[in-house]
């Protein structure tokens, strides 16, 4: 059985790569819905429908655990998938999101955490980060800002033009005396050093958080760990392939990646 990593597109490869570096022994299946990215501008019902299709595909492809690396998918569909889909179809499998572990990291060691969150419009509108932070720490204050231009710029090889746009978004956090700034979108891992330098804030970047949290989960759940194949298999599936996607995937994964096209239904 495999570990599935799902993202709306290719940004999740940055997180998948960090997971594979930390836990190289397992078999992995990455699925990116490149045909329908971005999810961050869509409605909750559409995102839930797309995530449902992805989960069906990944479970049929022998994934024991699926990580919704996509924050937008985690915010809009994780709980519903865990409560409504899994118990009826795959009660012994698991879907894990990225928001709970990211918030754990963001509030850790703080009494009254003041947290900034940069994310897609739909993640911000869902208030998933705000709710989770207050659930973990009643005194948490969360300031969220949607950054809709960042994903398209990153996907289109536009990081070299991004500084003024990023500064505009980061201005919302200035003077708020935040303890930490969460990068609440897969793609933003690529900007973490730029954000650190330009905001001057301690940044929580998911490629630095999720692998450790998954390693910890597998230690706490040996019944899941036992099910996982340990042949170092890696497969990268997408719903659309172009030379641009291939180039971007290689830059994110840091190694040659063969993208294989599949249909979700
Ligand atoms: N992967 C999405 C996320 O983490 C960003 C891209 C999108 O909008 O689909 O929120």
């Amino acid at each position: 059985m495999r570990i599935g990593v799902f993202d709306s597109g290719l940004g999740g490869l940055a997180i998948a790569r960090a997971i594979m570096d930390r836990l190289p022994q397992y078999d992995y299946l990455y699925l990116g819905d490149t045909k329908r990215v971005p999810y961050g501008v869509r409605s909750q019902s559409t995102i839930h429908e797309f995530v449902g299709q992805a989960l069906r595909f990944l479970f049929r492809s022998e994934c024991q655990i699926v990580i919704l690396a996509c924050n937008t998918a985690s915010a809009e569909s994780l709980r519903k998938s865990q409560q409504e889909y899994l118990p009826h179809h795959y009660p012994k499998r698991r879907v894990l999101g990225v928001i709970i572990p990211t918030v754990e990291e963001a509030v850790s060691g703080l009494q009254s955490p003041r947290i900034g969150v940069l994310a897609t419009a739909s993640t911000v509108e869902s208030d998933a980060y705000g709710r989770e932070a207050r659930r973990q720490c009643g005194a948490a204050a969360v300031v969220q800002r949607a950054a809709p231009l960042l994903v398209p710029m990153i996907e289109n090889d536009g990081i070299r033009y991004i500084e003024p746009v990023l500064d505009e978004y980061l201005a919302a956090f200035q003077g708020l005396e935040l303890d930490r700034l969460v990068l609440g979108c897969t793609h933003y891992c690529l900007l973490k050093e730029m954000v650190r330098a330009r905001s001057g804030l301690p940044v929580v970047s998911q490629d630095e958080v999720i692998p450790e949290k998954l390693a910890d989960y597998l230690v706490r759940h040996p019944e899941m760990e036992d099910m996982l194949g340990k042949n170092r298999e890696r497969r990268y599936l997408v719903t659309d392939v172009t030379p641009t996607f291939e180039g971007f995937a290689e830059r994110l994964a840091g190694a040659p990646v063969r993208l294989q096209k599949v249909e979700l239904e």
Side-chain angles (χ1 to χ4, degrees):
M1 299 292 277
R2 306 179 165 102
I3 297 177
V5 180
F6 173 67
D7 185 37
S8 55
L10 295 169
L13 280 171
I15 293 173
R17 174 191 178 184
I19 292 173
M20 291 170 193
D21 284 349
R22 172 67 182 81
L23 299 164
Q25 65 273 38
Y26 300 118
D27 297 342
Y28 291 93
L29 188 56
Y30 180 88
L31 174 62
D33 193 2
T34 46
K35 192 171 175 176
R36 301 187 292 198
V37 70
Y39 281 16
V41 293
R42 297 181 193 276
S43 67
Q44 204 241 346
S45 61
T46 298
I47 294 166
H48 185 59
E49 180 192 329
F50 291 173
V51 172
Q53 293 171 354
L55 287 178
R56 250 194 318 279
F57 181 92
L58 287 165
F59 287 135
R60 280 190 196 145
S61 308
E62 313 259 283
C63 288
Q64 177 65 27
I65 299 173
V66 173
I67 298 159
L68 295 185
C70 178
N71 288 259
T72 309
S74 296
E76 300 287 21
S77 182
L78 176 68
R79 184 174 295 238
K80 245 177 139 186
S81 302
Q82 285 173 332
Q83 291 176 350
E84 291 169 19
Y85 178 69
L86 223 52
H88 296 110
H89 296 91
Y90 294 98
K92 299 216 164 100
R93 316 273 186 101
R94 292 292 176 269
V95 189
L96 307 175
V98 288
I99 293 179
I100 294 174
T102 303
V103 170
E104 282 170 2
E105 185 69 19
V107 303
S108 72
L110 301 171
Q111 296 292 333
S112 309
R114 297 180 60 79
I115 307 297
V117 177
L118 199 63
T120 63
S122 93
T123 300
V124 168
E125 273 158 33
S126 75
D127 191 35
Y129 273 98
R131 270 184 283 120
E132 183 55 29
R134 290 186 292 276
R135 191 186 67 78
Q136 290 188 26
C137 179
V142 180
V143 182
Q144 302 176 68
R145 173 82 208 250
L149 292 177
L150 298 184
V151 167
M153 291 186 81
I154 295 168
E155 295 248 336
N156 291 291
D157 203 11
I159 289 185
R160 60 191 176 281
Y161 308 114
I162 227 163
E163 285 182 356
V165 180
L166 187 61
D167 286 347
E168 183 83 21
Y169 292 134
L170 292 177
F173 302 116
Q174 262 168 23
L176 299 180
E177 299 190 6
L178 297 177
D179 297 302
R180 289 179 187 139
L181 177 60
V182 169
L183 300 184
C185 171
T186 46
H187 292 58
Y188 304 170
C189 298
L190 297 176
L191 305 177
K192 66 183 176 185
E193 296 312 339
M194 205 186 277
V195 176
R196 280 185 177 124
R198 302 184 86 78
S199 69
L201 290 167
V203 166
V204 178
S205 183
Q206 291 175 326
D207 58 329
E208 297 169 2
V209 174
I210 303 304
E212 214 44 54
K213 296 286 185 184
L214 178 60
D216 182 53
Y217 175 88
L218 293 174
V219 170
R220 286 185 289 108
H221 295 274
E223 75 288 0
M224 290 289 145
E225 204 279 340
D226 283 348
M227 301 292 293
L228 297 174
K230 296 165 183 88
N231 304 304
R232 297 173 176 250
E233 178 196 290
R234 275 106 177 96
R235 291 178 62 202
Y236 300 93
L237 310 181
V238 287
T239 49
D240 194 17
V241 193
T242 65
T244 314
F245 287 157
E246 283 173 330
F248 185 47
E250 295 214 356
R251 271 187 284 131
L252 284 169
V257 165
R258 201 175 71 82
L259 297 179
Q260 197 183 327
K261 189 173 169 206
V262 295
E263 297 284 338
L264 294 184
E265 54 199 1

